[in-house]
Amino acid sequence: MTTRLSHLFLRTLRDNPVDAEVASHRLLVRGGYIRRAAPGIYSWLPLGLSVLRRLEQIVREEMYAIGAQEVHFPALLPKEPYEISGRWKTYGDGIFVLGDRKSEEIEPRVRKPNYLLAPTHEEVFTLLVKDLYSSYKDLPVNLYQIQTKYRDEARPRAGLLRGREFVMKDSYSFCVTDEDQRAAYDAHRAAYVRIFERLGLPAVPVSADNGNMGGSASEEFLFPCDIGEDTFVESPGGYRANVEAVTSVPPEPQNYDDAPAAVVHHTPGTDTIQTLVDAANTHQPRQDRQWTAADTLKNVVVAVITPDGERKVAIIAVPGDRDVDFKRAEVTIGSTLGIDGEVSVEAAESGDFAQHPDLVRGYIGPGLSLDAPHLGKDSATGIPYLADPRIVEGTRWITGANEADQHVFGLVAGRDFTWDDTIESVVVRDGDPAPDGSGPLTARRGIELGHIFMLGRYFSEVLGLKVLDENGKQTTVAMGSYGFGVTRALAALVEANHDDRGIIWPAAVAPADVHLVATGKGTEVFEAAETLAGDLEAAGLSVIYDDRPKVSPGVKFGDAELLGVPTIVVVGRGLAEGHIEVKDRRTGEAENIELAAVVPHLVERAGSLR
């Protein structure tokens, strides 16, 4: 049916919402597609639902093409499966939890949580297959759903791009063999590529960290965009990875048999890398070149916050010309320190230093084993000391001597100090070598729209999903998990397709094929527009018809450009000469088409845009 603006539940806005930071947020609210219900939570209005359902249909078609079958789980789930998998704890504060009336009451009107609003559904999909399938003959199987998810974002922002409630397609593959699982992974990857091609979004797959999902392989699909919260790198040779998954190219270990002994020098007022370098060049000059920050060893004290809220102090040693990327450090530092669950990392605060008086701020070094009576061995006893991969045996450094106004020169890694473990933590910067040798890296920002995982057998193992194989023996099922952010993709489409007047929807998801505008005071204009709307509908095109009788042409044109249907058709002054104006919302170009030819013209145009 034709959508008539005189009856549509719609109120467009002329001004931007005060809390809108990005274009998609501004325009979706102004265009009456969504409405804020609470921070990070949005109501979907008729036009927004129309676009959302079209996008979902594209996803469904591509899932169907690879043989995936649709199911639907509740969002409200019991905690027991998530306790078994360990994710009830590892999610920490990132999930919404609640207790029902049967739950233990901790205090009046406060119940002990025994349910959660699901952020993802690996556990219950696994249990569903376990409940119904028991033989290798039943597998492989691919199941998916398109459903609302919930995550307790600490700082929801950017409208649909980082919300607390969102729509996601999550699919799962269950296979007996690793070969079948690889095939399922590749099929989903190809399906995602096709989805983005149909949407006209240039999302690129990049290697990614598995996070708390586990597994052996992981890729994100990122839409390159300056407002994106993810950073990825790419090389001329085709390497792409999220910075959290980039591995450094360490130097070769160096021979230090002829290295002179390390020397401690008095270096007053040198509690920063720059002041240290300046003092070294002034008082301890080299013969071959100037000292630089890259010659120094910077020891960054960090606080690792566990899922239980405990703060654990660690030291990360990096070359002095590099900075620590706390997000990169979060990827592996938890497992390195033996902490279960997701952790956060931040710079140590005064309270952390107060708990460790051996740490002399500005002059921190590794635990030293030097023949210097005033320097005790392992001065930072009890604090994990983690090193950047660039710190390899035989490399030589200037670093703190763990005493105020003292630095050690010529400190040799592996001879004069050691480290507990190696960790990837520094900011990846342009020009760093790609780990596969494909050239220097360039960093870009992107919006994550999809993430696919080779989960392996963790979830099936802990939840007991086993089937009988061809030999009648129990075998643990291999799994894959594949997420696609439906509402995020919708917002990304607006980020990629808008101008200063409004949205420019791709035809594949636009709320209509044609936005028909009737302008003028005479009844003949509205009668002709009414007839045209019916003819277009009969020809198979969807129409938004602005039939509002007492609204100015300027307001109607402004709304048409804001709403973003790819083709705007105007029935107005040209009707007297038998012409209808057809305007391309993308280019702004307009042409007059004879009334008798306008329907076949628009049908052909719609076909070319799809």
Side-chain angles (χ1 to χ4, degrees):
M1 294 178 62
T2 297
T3 300
R4 301 172 186 278
L5 286 192
S6 60
H7 294 87
L8 182 64
F9 187 66
L10 174 71
R11 185 73 72 231
T12 57
L13 305 176
R14 296 290 162 246
D15 297 321
N16 292 323
V18 293
D19 61 336
E21 303 171 289
V22 298
S24 58
H25 189 185
R26 293 194 298 269
L27 296 174
L28 287 169
V29 173
R30 284 186 53 207
Y33 287 91
I34 61 174
R35 195 75 178 170
R36 182 182 182 272
I41 304 172
Y42 292 87
S43 302
W44 288 85
L45 307 186
L47 285 183
L49 273 178
S50 175
V51 176
L52 185 63
R53 297 296 177 247
R54 288 189 175 206
L55 202 163
E56 289 175 350
Q57 184 57 29
I58 291 173
V59 174
R60 283 189 170 93
E61 290 170 3
E62 294 302 334
M63 289 296 99
Y64 177 80
I66 63 171
Q69 302 173 66
E70 186 170 8
V71 298
H72 190 82
F73 280 95
L76 179 65
L77 294 170
K79 74 174 183 179
E80 286 80 11
Y82 292 85
E83 282 187 314
I84 295 171
S85 70
R87 295 204 295 178
W88 180 264
K89 178 180 179 180
T90 60
Y91 270 124
D93 293 333
I95 55 175
F96 290 99
V97 298
L98 66 158
D100 67 2
R101 67 182 64 201
K102 295 182 180 180
S103 177
E104 174 189 343
E105 194 168 68
I106 302 172
E107 56 185 82
R109 300 186 64 82
V110 178
R111 297 166 176 165
K112 185 176 181 180
N114 60 343
Y115 282 85
L116 78 161
L117 293 175
T120 183
H121 281 72
E122 278 77 9
E123 287 83 351
V124 289
F125 267 88
T126 304
L127 291 175
L128 177 65
V129 175
K130 176 185 177 182
D131 186 39
L132 296 176
Y133 281 177
S134 59
S135 170
Y136 76 95
K137 296 178 181 178
D138 299 320
L139 304 178
V141 65
N142 294 308
L143 303 175
Y144 80 96
Q145 66 175 345
I146 297 177
Q147 197 242 32
T148 303
K149 312 285 188 183
Y150 298 87
R151 293 182 186 172
D152 190 3
E153 289 286 351
R155 291 174 294 277
R157 58 174 295 274
L160 301 179
L161 291 175
R162 184 163 289 279
R164 289 175 166 167
E165 178 187 81
F166 53 95
V167 177
M168 186 170 82
K169 186 283 301 176
D170 52 323
S171 52
Y172 305 87
S173 56
F174 300 87
C175 305
V176 175
T177 67
D178 291 338
E179 292 75 17
D180 283 348
Q181 178 50 56
R182 182 77 230 188
Y185 181 93
D186 291 342
H188 276 85
R189 189 182 192 277
Y192 278 34
V193 170
R194 290 192 298 270
I195 289 170
F196 289 118
E197 287 176 348
R198 292 179 64 178
L199 294 176
L201 270 176
V204 294
V206 305
S207 298
D209 171 68
N210 287 18
N212 68 0
M213 298 289 286
S216 59
S218 170
E219 288 178 283
E220 292 175 343
F221 284 80
L222 299 179
F223 164 55
C225 183
D226 290 340
I227 67 162
E229 293 187 329
D230 283 76
T231 302
F232 71 99
V233 293
E234 55 188 0
S235 72
Y239 174 85
R240 288 195 188 100
N242 188 304
V243 290
E244 295 171 3
V246 175
T247 55
S248 304
V249 180
E252 292 293 326
Q254 300 175 20
N255 185 290
Y256 54 83
D257 291 343
D258 60 346
V263 179
V264 178
H265 288 291
H266 184 55
T267 53
T270 57
D271 57 355
T272 67
I273 295 297
Q274 187 57 56
T275 55
L276 174 60
V277 171
D278 291 342
N281 282 316
T282 300
H283 302 294
Q284 308 295 332
R286 295 176 60 129
Q287 298 299 315
D288 54 342
R289 61 173 176 82
Q290 292 273 296
W291 294 106
T292 71
D295 297 311
T296 68
L297 186 65
K298 180 161 54 177
N299 297 282
V300 181
V301 184
V302 300
V304 183
I305 298 91
T306 72
D308 297 329
E310 182 183 359
R311 296 175 70 88
K312 293 181 176 291
V313 171
I315 298 175
I316 302 177
V318 301
D321 63 335
R322 312 290 285 208
D323 292 316
V324 171
D325 180 335
F326 294 133
K327 288 296 181 184
R328 287 195 77 211
E330 286 173 357
V331 173
T332 58
I333 197 168
S335 59
T336 300
L337 299 180
I339 301 171
D340 292 330
E342 291 187 356
V343 302
S344 58
V345 178
E346 62 185 32
E349 300 173 349
S350 298
D352 301 311
F353 282 95
Q355 297 293 320
H356 298 278
D358 283 345
L359 297 178
V360 184
R361 300 179 78 163
Y363 299 91
I364 296 170
L368 305 175
S369 54
L370 304 179
D371 285 333
H374 62 294
L375 294 176
K377 182 178 179 181
D378 298 329
S379 300
T381 298
I383 301 177
Y385 191 75
L386 310 175
D388 181 79
R390 295 166 184 80
I391 301 167
V392 298
E393 187 167 319
T395 51
R396 307 173 193 190
W397 306 93
I398 305 173
T399 193
N402 294 313
E403 284 197 5
D405 298 332
Q406 303 282 347
H407 279 91
V408 185
F409 284 64
L411 195 73
V412 177
R415 184 192 70 180
D416 302 324
F417 73 98
T418 58
W419 45 98
D420 297 310
D421 213 328
T422 299
I423 184 174
E424 294 281 1
S425 69
V426 301
V427 174
V428 180
R429 62 192 185 192
D430 288 353
D432 283 347
D436 65 352
S438 58
L441 297 174
T442 301
R444 302 178 67 184
R445 304 291 292 175
I447 299 172
E448 181 187 342
L449 301 179
H451 203 158
I452 59 177
F453 299 87
M454 289 268 284
L455 288 180
R457 292 174 169 80
Y458 173 76
F459 286 96
S460 50
E461 184 69 50
V462 298
L463 293 165
L465 173 55
K466 300 177 184 292
V467 297
L468 293 176
D469 65 14
E470 292 176 305
N471 299 315
K473 294 183 179 180
Q474 292 278 345
T475 183
T476 303
V477 172
M479 290 176 56
S481 175
Y482 317 93
F484 180 92
V486 178
T487 45
R488 266 199 169 196
L490 190 151
L493 282 169
V494 179
E495 294 294 336
N497 299 279
H498 73 274
D499 58 21
D500 57 358
R501 297 183 298 277
I503 302 169
I504 309 172
W505 289 114
V509 298
D513 296 308
V514 173
H515 188 123
L516 178 60
V517 178
T519 63
K521 298 180 180 179
T523 58
E524 66 279 0
V525 168
F526 287 89
E527 290 172 354
E530 186 76 32
T531 299
L532 179 56
D535 292 343
L536 290 171
E537 183 182 342
L541 301 186
S542 55
V543 180
I544 292 177
Y545 173 29
D546 193 342
D547 61 337
R548 296 174 292 179
K550 296 182 180 180
V551 177
S552 71
V555 171
K556 289 187 174 185
F557 294 149
D559 282 346
E561 292 180 321
L562 175 61
L563 295 181
V565 173
T567 302
I568 300 171
V569 176
V570 181
V571 180
R573 288 180 297 179
L575 183 64
E577 286 78 40
H579 292 152
I580 302 295
E581 183 181 85
V582 176
K583 185 176 181 179
D584 188 326
R585 176 66 185 89
R586 300 169 303 169
T587 65
E589 296 178 355
E591 57 181 330
N592 289 322
I593 306 297
E594 290 185 9
L595 181 58
V598 72
V599 172
H601 174 82
L602 292 173
V603 169
E604 181 181 358
R605 174 178 168 77
S608 67
L609 292 176
R610 288 173 182 164

PDB file of all heavy atoms in Angstrom, residues 175-187:
ATOM      1  N   CYS A 175      29.612 -29.037  13.736  1.00  0.00           N
ATOM      2  CA  CYS A 175      30.218 -29.990  12.807  1.00  0.00           C
ATOM      3  C   CYS A 175      30.975 -31.077  13.579  1.00  0.00           C
ATOM      4  O   CYS A 175      31.460 -30.844  14.694  1.00  0.00           O
ATOM      5  CB  CYS A 175      31.190 -29.284  11.858  1.00  0.00           C
ATOM      6  SG  CYS A 175      30.461 -27.909  10.935  1.00  0.00           S
ATOM      7  N   VAL A 176      31.113 -32.236  12.932  1.00  0.00           N
ATOM      8  CA  VAL A 176      31.880 -33.322  13.539  1.00  0.00           C
ATOM      9  C   VAL A 176      33.367 -33.124  13.309  1.00  0.00           C
ATOM     10  O   VAL A 176      34.179 -33.301  14.222  1.00  0.00           O
ATOM     11  CB  VAL A 176      31.421 -34.685  12.989  1.00  0.00           C
ATOM     12  CG1 VAL A 176      32.309 -35.810  13.521  1.00  0.00           C
ATOM     13  CG2 VAL A 176      29.966 -34.946  13.353  1.00  0.00           C
ATOM     14  N   THR A 177      33.739 -32.733  12.105  1.00  0.00           N
ATOM     15  CA  THR A 177      35.162 -32.652  11.765  1.00  0.00           C
ATOM     16  C   THR A 177      35.622 -31.209  11.650  1.00  0.00           C
ATOM     17  O   THR A 177      34.834 -30.289  11.385  1.00  0.00           O
ATOM     18  CB  THR A 177      35.443 -33.349  10.431  1.00  0.00           C
ATOM     19  OG1 THR A 177      34.809 -32.604   9.372  1.00  0.00           O
ATOM     20  CG2 THR A 177      34.902 -34.774  10.436  1.00  0.00           C
ATOM     21  N   ASP A 178      36.923 -31.012  11.821  1.00  0.00           N
ATOM     22  CA  ASP A 178      37.502 -29.684  11.650  1.00  0.00           C
ATOM     23  C   ASP A 178      37.362 -29.211  10.204  1.00  0.00           C
ATOM     24  O   ASP A 178      37.217 -28.011   9.949  1.00  0.00           O
ATOM     25  CB  ASP A 178      38.976 -29.702  12.047  1.00  0.00           C
ATOM     26  CG  ASP A 178      39.171 -29.903  13.543  1.00  0.00           C
ATOM     27  OD1 ASP A 178      38.227 -29.617  14.314  1.00  0.00           O
ATOM     28  OD2 ASP A 178      40.268 -30.360  13.938  1.00  0.00           O
ATOM     29  N   GLU A 179      37.412 -30.159   9.259  1.00  0.00           N
ATOM     30  CA  GLU A 179      37.272 -29.781   7.848  1.00  0.00           C
ATOM     31  C   GLU A 179      35.886 -29.214   7.572  1.00  0.00           C
ATOM     32  O   GLU A 179      35.734 -28.201   6.874  1.00  0.00           O
ATOM     33  CB  GLU A 179      37.541 -30.994   6.958  1.00  0.00           C
ATOM     34  CG  GLU A 179      38.983 -31.499   6.962  1.00  0.00           C
ATOM     35  CD  GLU A 179      39.346 -32.266   8.234  1.00  0.00           C
ATOM     36  OE1 GLU A 179      38.408 -32.694   8.962  1.00  0.00           O
ATOM     37  OE2 GLU A 179      40.553 -32.440   8.490  1.00  0.00           O
ATOM     38  N   ASP A 180      34.854 -29.857   8.127  1.00  0.00           N
ATOM     39  CA  ASP A 180      33.496 -29.338   7.950  1.00  0.00           C
ATOM     40  C   ASP A 180      33.337 -27.978   8.642  1.00  0.00           C
ATOM     41  O   ASP A 180      32.645 -27.094   8.130  1.00  0.00           O
ATOM     42  CB  ASP A 180      32.477 -30.324   8.527  1.00  0.00           C
ATOM     43  CG  ASP A 180      32.244 -31.521   7.619  1.00  0.00           C
ATOM     44  OD1 ASP A 180      32.687 -31.479   6.456  1.00  0.00           O
ATOM     45  OD2 ASP A 180      31.627 -32.505   8.077  1.00  0.00           O
ATOM     46  N   GLN A 181      33.982 -27.833   9.785  1.00  0.00           N
ATOM     47  CA  GLN A 181      33.889 -26.557  10.488  1.00  0.00           C
ATOM     48  C   GLN A 181      34.562 -25.445   9.695  1.00  0.00           C
ATOM     49  O   GLN A 181      34.059 -24.328   9.609  1.00  0.00           O
ATOM     50  CB  GLN A 181      34.524 -26.665  11.872  1.00  0.00           C
ATOM     51  CG  GLN A 181      34.535 -25.374  12.675  1.00  0.00           C
ATOM     52  CD  GLN A 181      33.173 -24.710  12.716  1.00  0.00           C
ATOM     53  OE1 GLN A 181      32.191 -25.308  13.128  1.00  0.00           O
ATOM     54  NE2 GLN A 181      33.101 -23.469  12.244  1.00  0.00           N
ATOM     55  N   ARG A 182      35.690 -25.753   9.072  1.00  0.00           N
ATOM     56  CA  ARG A 182      36.353 -24.764   8.237  1.00  0.00           C
ATOM     57  C   ARG A 182      35.473 -24.379   7.065  1.00  0.00           C
ATOM     58  O   ARG A 182      35.383 -23.203   6.692  1.00  0.00           O
ATOM     59  CB  ARG A 182      37.680 -25.328   7.729  1.00  0.00           C
ATOM     60  CG  ARG A 182      38.495 -24.372   6.890  1.00  0.00           C
ATOM     61  CD  ARG A 182      39.181 -23.340   7.773  1.00  0.00           C
ATOM     62  NE  ARG A 182      38.956 -21.994   7.310  1.00  0.00           N
ATOM     63  CZ  ARG A 182      39.557 -20.931   7.815  1.00  0.00           C
ATOM     64  NH1 ARG A 182      40.428 -21.066   8.798  1.00  0.00           N
ATOM     65  NH2 ARG A 182      39.287 -19.716   7.376  1.00  0.00           N
ATOM     66  N   ALA A 183      34.792 -25.348   6.479  1.00  0.00           N
ATOM     67  CA  ALA A 183      33.897 -25.071   5.356  1.00  0.00           C
ATOM     68  C   ALA A 183      32.741 -24.172   5.797  1.00  0.00           C
ATOM     69  O   ALA A 183      32.326 -23.259   5.064  1.00  0.00           O
ATOM     70  CB  ALA A 183      33.365 -26.376   4.763  1.00  0.00           C
ATOM     71  N   ALA A 184      32.200 -24.420   7.002  1.00  0.00           N
ATOM     72  CA  ALA A 184      31.110 -23.586   7.513  1.00  0.00           C
ATOM     73  C   ALA A 184      31.589 -22.159   7.758  1.00  0.00           C
ATOM     74  O   ALA A 184      30.885 -21.187   7.456  1.00  0.00           O
ATOM     75  CB  ALA A 184      30.554 -24.190   8.802  1.00  0.00           C
ATOM     76  N   TYR A 185      32.795 -22.033   8.293  1.00  0.00           N
ATOM     77  CA  TYR A 185      33.378 -20.705   8.519  1.00  0.00           C
ATOM     78  C   TYR A 185      33.545 -19.958   7.200  1.00  0.00           C
ATOM     79  O   TYR A 185      33.160 -18.788   7.069  1.00  0.00           O
ATOM     80  CB  TYR A 185      34.718 -20.866   9.221  1.00  0.00           C
ATOM     81  CG  TYR A 185      35.445 -19.579   9.555  1.00  0.00           C
ATOM     82  CD1 TYR A 185      35.277 -18.978  10.792  1.00  0.00           C
ATOM     83  CD2 TYR A 185      36.308 -18.985   8.643  1.00  0.00           C
ATOM     84  CE1 TYR A 185      35.956 -17.803  11.115  1.00  0.00           C
ATOM     85  CE2 TYR A 185      36.985 -17.816   8.941  1.00  0.00           C
ATOM     86  CZ  TYR A 185      36.803 -17.230  10.181  1.00  0.00           C
ATOM     87  OH  TYR A 185      37.470 -16.061  10.491  1.00  0.00           O
ATOM     88  N   ASP A 186      34.098 -20.637   6.204  1.00  0.00           N
ATOM     89  CA  ASP A 186      34.312 -20.003   4.903  1.00  0.00           C
ATOM     90  C   ASP A 186      32.992 -19.623   4.246  1.00  0.00           C
ATOM     91  O   ASP A 186      32.889 -18.581   3.578  1.00  0.00           O
ATOM     92  CB  ASP A 186      35.100 -20.939   3.986  1.00  0.00           C
ATOM     93  CG  ASP A 186      36.537 -21.135   4.436  1.00  0.00           C
ATOM     94  OD1 ASP A 186      37.030 -20.307   5.244  1.00  0.00           O
ATOM     95  OD2 ASP A 186      37.167 -22.114   4.004  1.00  0.00           O
ATOM     96  N   ALA A 187      31.953 -20.457   4.429  1.00  0.00           N
ATOM     97  CA  ALA A 187      30.641 -20.148   3.848  1.00  0.00           C
ATOM     98  C   ALA A 187      30.055 -18.895   4.488  1.00  0.00           C
ATOM     99  O   ALA A 187      29.486 -18.035   3.796  1.00  0.00           O
ATOM    100  CB  ALA A 187      29.694 -21.332   4.026  1.00  0.00           C
TER     101      ALA A 187
END
